[in-house]
């Protein structure tokens, strides 16, 4: 089944404790992206990657890092999480970085930073 | 379920009736628009898209209307079913062909009454 998977689905952590949220897609997609979703706000893009070893900042990159060492995986790294990073995170992928390519979203990761 | 739906405008519709969900977009230069459906605890799911050179596009039980004059997008769902209950939001691509950044709306919650 074609899908985007994220792990963990739920995570409660404390300020400053480094964490990684994994994202994997099995569709051989070139483009991958991370979003956060907060009440009253639309999805906001954190980072995106157009292909292996090519990443760039989205609209809200502060406090996050990403890597794209292989095509299928695009982990999101929070080196020193803070409470304002408490949010619902979605990973998405599309075949290419074209405006009309459908983005497929993962199921989300609910992160709480205490 | 996830809490991103708090404080969203809600549309309540009787099962079998038609639903109309509206979206005002922000950028007059946007040339591509998407409607997403997000069920509780899941990631956004593509429903239908439309390019700016069209006024209307139909899918299975769904129709998207685009009014560029007033920067307004609507999603019509025919014969609404309980499975249509979800949060619906629009996205616009403000960057023109070949770009891949989106502005996402905050969404409308659709409740289908039995």
């Amino acid at each position: 089944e074609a899908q985007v998977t994220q792990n963990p689905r739920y995570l409660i952590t404390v300020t400053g404790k480094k964490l990684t949220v994994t994202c994997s897609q099995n569709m051989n997609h070139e483009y991958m992206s991370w979003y956060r979703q907060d009440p009253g706000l639309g999805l906001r893009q954190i980072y995106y990657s157009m292909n292996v070893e090519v990443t760039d900042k989205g609209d809200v990159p502060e406090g996050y890092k990403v890597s794209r060492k292989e095509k299928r995986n695009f982990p999101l790294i929070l080196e020193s999480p803070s409470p304002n990073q408490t949010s619902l995170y979605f990973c998405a992928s599309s075949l290419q970085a074209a405006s009309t390519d459908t983005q497929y979203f993962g199921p989300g990761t609910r992160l709480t930073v205490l | 379920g996830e809490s991103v739906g708090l404080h969203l405008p809600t549309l309540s519709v009787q099962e079998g009736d038609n639903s109309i969900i509206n979206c005002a977009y922000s950028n007059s230069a946007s040339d591509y628009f998407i409607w997403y459906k997000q069920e509780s605890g899941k990631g956004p799911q593509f429903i239908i898209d439309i390019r700016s050179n069209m006024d209307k596009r139909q899918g299975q039980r769904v129709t998207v209307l685009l009014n560029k004059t007033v920067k307004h997008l609507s999603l019509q769902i025919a014969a609404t079913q309980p499975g249509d209950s979800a949060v619906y939001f629009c996205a616009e691509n403000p960057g023109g062909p070949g770009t891949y950044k989106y502005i996402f709306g905050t969404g409308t919650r659709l409740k289908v009454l039995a």
Side-chain angles (χ1 to χ4, degrees), chain A residues 7 12 19 29-30 33 46 50 56 60 62 66-67 70 75 83 88-89 101 107:
Chain A
N7 281 292
I12 301 175
L19 66 92
H29 283 172
E30 290 185 355
S33 183
I46 302 170
M50 295 179 65
D56 209 345
V60 288
E62 294 78 20
V66 292
S67 68
E70 48 189 340
L88 179 58
Y89 291 87
D101 273 347

Side-chain angles (χ1 to χ4, degrees), chain A residues 54-102:
Chain A
V54 181
T55 64
D56 209 345
K57 296 177 180 178
D59 297 317
V60 288
E62 294 78 20
Y64 305 95
K65 287 174 58 178
V66 292
S67 68
R68 189 91 182 273
K69 293 183 170 55
E70 48 189 340
K71 203 170 191 178
R72 64 183 292 127
N73 295 323
F74 189 45
L76 179 69
I77 303 156
L78 284 72
E79 294 272 3
S80 182
S82 61
N84 64 10
Q85 292 179 297
T86 292
S87 187
L88 179 58
Y89 291 87
F90 289 102
C91 179
S93 73
S94 63
L95 186 62
Q96 291 182 331
S99 61
T100 54
D101 273 347
T102 301

Side-chain angles (χ1 to χ4, degrees), chain B residues 19 65 67 79 102 107 109:
Chain B
S19 303
L65 298 177
N67 185 330
Y102 290 89
R109 179 179 300 283

Side-chain angles (χ1 to χ4, degrees), chain B:
Chain B
E2 307 300 349
S3 62
V4 290
L6 291 176
H7 312 303
L8 286 177
T10 299
L11 174 66
S12 296
V13 176
Q14 206 69 33
E15 182 179 355
D17 287 352
N18 296 336
S19 303
I20 300 177
I21 300 170
N22 297 305
C23 175
Y25 65 90
S26 58
N27 192 322
S28 57
S30 293
D31 71 339
Y32 179 64
F33 307 86
I34 307 171
W35 276 102
Y36 287 95
K37 173 186 181 182
Q38 188 174 13
E39 296 175 274
S40 182
K42 296 185 179 180
Q45 178 186 3
F46 173 93
I47 302 174
I48 192 168
D49 59 358
I50 189 168
R51 289 182 182 268
S52 60
N53 61 354
M54 302 171 71
D55 297 321
K56 179 180 179 179
R57 188 160 189 232
Q58 287 185 290
Q60 188 176 15
R61 272 201 316 119
V62 294
T63 300
V64 55
L65 298 177
L66 175 63
N67 185 330
K68 294 181 286 294
T69 303
V70 294
K71 294 190 287 186
H72 183 267
L73 200 64
S74 69
L75 176 70
Q76 300 178 0
I77 304 173
T80 312
Q81 303 169 359
D84 294 328
S85 291
V87 172
Y88 292 81
F89 57 89
C90 64
E92 61 179 297
N93 184 314
T99 62
Y100 32 83
K101 296 215 24 118
Y102 290 89
I103 300 172
F104 292 86
T106 55
T108 296
R109 179 179 300 283
L110 177 64
K111 282 189 176 179
V112 181
L113 308 172

